[in-house]
Amino acid sequence: MKDKKVVVCGGGGFIGGHLVHDLLRQGYKTVRSVDCKPFEEWYQRAPEAENLILDLRDREACHQAVKGMDVVFNLAADMGGMGFIETHKAECMLSVLINTHLCMAARDAHVQRYFYASSACVYNAEKQKDPNVTALKEEDAYPAMPEDGYGWEKLFSERMCRHFREDYSLPTRVARYHNVYGPFGTYEGGREKAPAAICRKVIEAKLSGKPEIEIWGNGQQTRSFMYITDCLKGTQTLTWSNYVEPINIGSSELVSINQLVDIVEAIAGIKLKRSYNLSAPKGVNGRNSDNTLIKKVFGWEPDTKLKDGMEKTYRWIYDQIVSRR
């Protein structure tokens, strides 16, 4: 596999940047990294990769990105945490242009594998009303009632991949990610997700001497969070496999947001007074990954303990904040 020529679309982003570095670490000789952001805004940039600034919403840019490549990882999207996707629905929907044009370019280039990063936001909202949620199986995406905006785009793009595989023999693979977190991710500015946001808030409270934290929602909403190394392993395992249907890649370790704050407080060695912003974006009440299928297909599931991954994430964000001060 290491002789394959690989392009990571969205390589300047959180997951994409980690994937580029992981492929190079494994010994892949040709790795192209593509993102629309200026280089100084890339989360990570590997000098050993071929780094290109291209807006993949443009069809010609997609043809340029995949030219000469054997494998396409499509991780490119305009997205963020709940604070972003609930208030930028049209922008999230426009990511459909990226996958549409990349599928067309990959078909024309006769690539050997096309990976699409979907999301647990595709799942039917009716099944996520209770914090004590029943873990979501792959079939729970239908009948369709996904997250408005972002989730609809992801579900539509999943179908695009399916039909390009059926009609044009493009070898597509689709993963439904469940809340990926880790170092080298967004932790401020409005696009950050809950693990990074809570780390930042706890760090700021500790450094300021004001032992207070604001939590979005009532703190009882539940989620599972997957550490980045598990995401990378699941992504590459699926890509090289013969399994063609959408599959969950996520941790099954369910926690409430209050419990997530408990974990970060323990890492920081501090206890904070909590206030709850009930008008802030909070998403569904409960969401967890049912890993029955991934264990059956691959004999594996994401298994990094949340407290272990959060400690690494906290230390990295702490260093970033302190270094700026």
Side-chain angles (χ1 to χ4, degrees), residues 2-304:
K2 294 172 186 176
D3 293 329
K4 302 293 184 186
K5 297 177 181 179
V6 179
V7 57
V8 178
C9 299
F14 166 50
I15 301 174
H18 277 282
L19 179 58
V20 167
H21 278 80
D22 192 55
L23 293 167
L24 292 168
R25 179 190 59 78
Q26 293 177 58
Y28 282 78
K29 301 296 188 297
T30 303
V31 179
R32 180 180 293 163
S33 183
V34 179
D35 207 285
C36 67
K37 297 186 289 292
F39 285 139
E40 60 269 20
E41 295 180 16
W42 287 30
Y43 292 26
Q44 298 185 71
R45 180 154 60 104
E48 312 96 299
E50 178 191 5
N51 297 298
L52 301 178
I53 299 174
L54 295 170
D55 187 342
L56 296 173
R57 289 169 294 191
D58 179 73
R59 182 175 177 179
E60 289 307 312
C62 290
H63 280 277
Q64 186 178 342
V66 307
K67 185 178 180 180
M69 296 292 106
D70 301 312
V71 182
V72 176
F73 287 97
N74 180 12
L75 301 163
D78 195 357
M79 58 86 68
M82 202 52 61
F84 180 81
I85 67 175
E86 284 199 1
T87 55
H88 296 76
K89 293 174 183 174
E91 289 177 50
C92 290
M93 289 292 288
L94 285 172
S95 293
V96 72
L97 296 172
I98 299 173
N99 189 62
T100 302
H101 291 147
L102 275 176
C103 279
M104 295 167 70
R107 174 200 62 191
D108 295 346
H110 305 290
V111 303
Q112 297 171 22
R113 282 289 190 277
Y114 182 94
F115 171 86
Y116 177 67
S118 186
S119 166
C121 289
V122 303
Y123 284 115
N124 190 314
E126 287 295 316
K127 295 180 178 289
Q128 302 172 76
K129 289 185 172 181
D130 189 341
N132 300 308
V133 64
T134 300
L136 295 161
K137 295 178 179 291
E138 283 75 6
E139 59 263 32
D140 291 333
Y142 295 95
M145 194 187 295
E147 187 83 40
D148 201 10
Y150 179 72
W152 276 108
E153 187 278 322
K154 288 295 186 185
L155 192 62
F156 176 86
S157 292
E158 284 189 10
R159 303 296 288 195
M160 179 75 74
C161 289
R162 172 179 173 174
H163 296 311
F164 265 70
R165 174 172 53 83
E166 292 172 340
D167 293 359
Y168 302 121
S169 300
L170 178 66
T172 58
R173 304 291 184 267
V174 175
R176 292 174 181 160
Y177 288 158
H178 288 248
N179 294 310
V180 188
Y181 73 99
F184 296 98
T186 301
Y187 60 90
E188 62 183 0
R191 291 180 183 256
E192 65 275 20
K193 296 187 177 182
I198 291 171
C199 284
R200 186 200 75 241
K201 290 179 179 182
V202 171
I203 292 164
E204 289 175 343
K206 185 171 184 176
L207 293 176
S208 69
K210 297 178 182 178
E212 303 171 352
I213 185 171
E214 180 188 86
I215 297 170
W216 287 7
N218 61 14
Q220 297 173 19
Q221 60 269 37
T222 55
R223 296 290 187 276
S224 64
F225 300 97
M226 172 173 55
Y227 192 60
I228 183 63
T229 53
D230 286 334
C231 176
L232 298 177
K233 180 175 180 178
T235 295
Q236 293 173 75
T237 300
L238 172 62
T239 299
W240 299 124
S241 77
N242 293 321
Y243 191 79
V244 299
E245 299 297 332
I247 194 168
N248 284 333
I249 300 183
S251 170
S252 59
E253 183 183 354
L254 186 70
V255 294
S256 69
I257 299 302
N258 277 328
Q259 289 172 322
L260 184 61
V261 176
D262 290 340
I263 290 171
V264 180
E265 285 179 335
I267 294 168
I270 193 173
K271 204 67 181 165
L272 304 176
K273 179 182 178 181
R274 303 179 186 185
S275 63
Y276 295 91
N277 185 347
L278 302 182
S279 62
K282 66 179 184 66
V284 296
N285 289 324
R287 177 181 291 154
N288 194 18
S289 178
D290 186 303
N291 288 347
T292 302
L293 182 59
I294 195 170
K295 288 190 288 186
K296 178 181 178 182
V297 175
F298 299 125
W300 172 84
E301 65 175 321
D303 57 4
T304 301

